[in-house]
Amino acid sequence: MTHEEIKIMIPAYLEGELDGENKKIIEKHLEECIECRQECAELSQLEEVLNTMEFKKPSKDIWDVYWSSVYNRLERKIGWILLSIGMIIMLAVGAYPAVKGFISDPQIPMILKLGLLAFVGGGIIVFVSIFREQLFFRKKERYKDVRR
């Protein structure tokens, strides 16, 4: 086994995922190779740090403010609902000219027309939902609440 192959297998070795033969090969190489031994130690230390990390817990004061602001939460929910309905209406009105010819064609069966309307309507609703989700998560800093 080459040096590079062993370097690739070090994380699996640390996780205990190697069979007996490969484990012995890695251990023998670690005895001889300072670089891999150092990398193994660094990865082991990193794993230890990651296992001890936890999210910062909000204080009681923060929870009190959060639960007391029912009106703020209610206003936001109503605002999001109105925003979503407005976007759905605007997108539906914008999509209508694109499907108008298809719907008004008497040669096309009604089931296909209903299917197209369901497809377009569902697509608009999914688009609005993903848009709202992206706006929500964009405001959140993903790692600010992680501490050692």
Side-chain angles (χ1 to χ4, degrees):
M1 200 176 291
T2 68
H3 177 77
E4 292 302 317
E5 291 173 331
I6 289 176
K7 283 181 78 169
I8 292 171
M9 293 179 69
I10 288 175
Y13 168 76
L14 290 173
E15 293 291 325
E17 297 174 354
L18 298 180
D19 59 16
E21 183 181 332
N22 284 328
K23 183 178 176 182
K24 287 178 186 177
I25 292 170
I26 299 292
E27 288 172 348
K28 184 173 192 276
H29 182 79
L30 289 174
E31 290 174 5
E32 299 169 356
C33 179
I34 294 171
E35 179 187 351
C36 287
R37 191 169 45 238
Q38 184 178 8
E39 184 170 339
C40 185
E42 289 173 2
L43 286 173
S44 180
Q45 184 180 17
L46 177 63
E47 185 176 343
E48 183 180 327
V49 168
L50 289 174
N51 288 336
T52 60
M53 290 176 86
E54 61 184 40
F55 287 103
K56 186 171 79 174
K57 296 190 176 23
S59 69
K60 184 181 179 327
D61 295 336
I62 291 174
W63 279 114
D64 290 343
V65 169
Y66 174 77
W67 288 113
S68 68
S69 63
V70 173
Y71 294 112
N72 291 338
R73 291 194 327 261
L74 185 60
E75 288 170 353
R76 285 205 178 127
K77 285 182 182 178
I78 292 172
W80 278 116
I81 290 170
L82 292 175
L83 176 73
S84 298
I85 291 171
M87 285 183 68
I88 289 169
I89 291 171
M90 289 174 58
L91 289 171
V93 168
Y96 179 73
V99 295
K100 181 180 177 183
F102 185 83
I103 293 172
S104 62
D105 188 353
Q107 300 293 330
I108 298 174
M110 181 59 81
I111 190 74
L112 286 178
K113 294 176 184 180
L114 292 175
L116 177 66
L117 290 175
F119 177 78
V120 171
I124 289 170
I125 291 170
V126 168
F127 173 79
V128 170
S129 174
I130 291 171
F131 178 76
R132 280 186 41 234
E133 180 180 279
Q134 291 300 314
L135 284 177
F136 176 79
F137 285 117
R138 189 166 299 231
K139 293 180 203 173
K140 304 283 183 192
E141 172 63 33
R142 295 175 71 185
Y143 302 108
K144 74 177 179 184
D145 291 333
V146 176
R147 65 180 172 133
R148 285 178 68 177

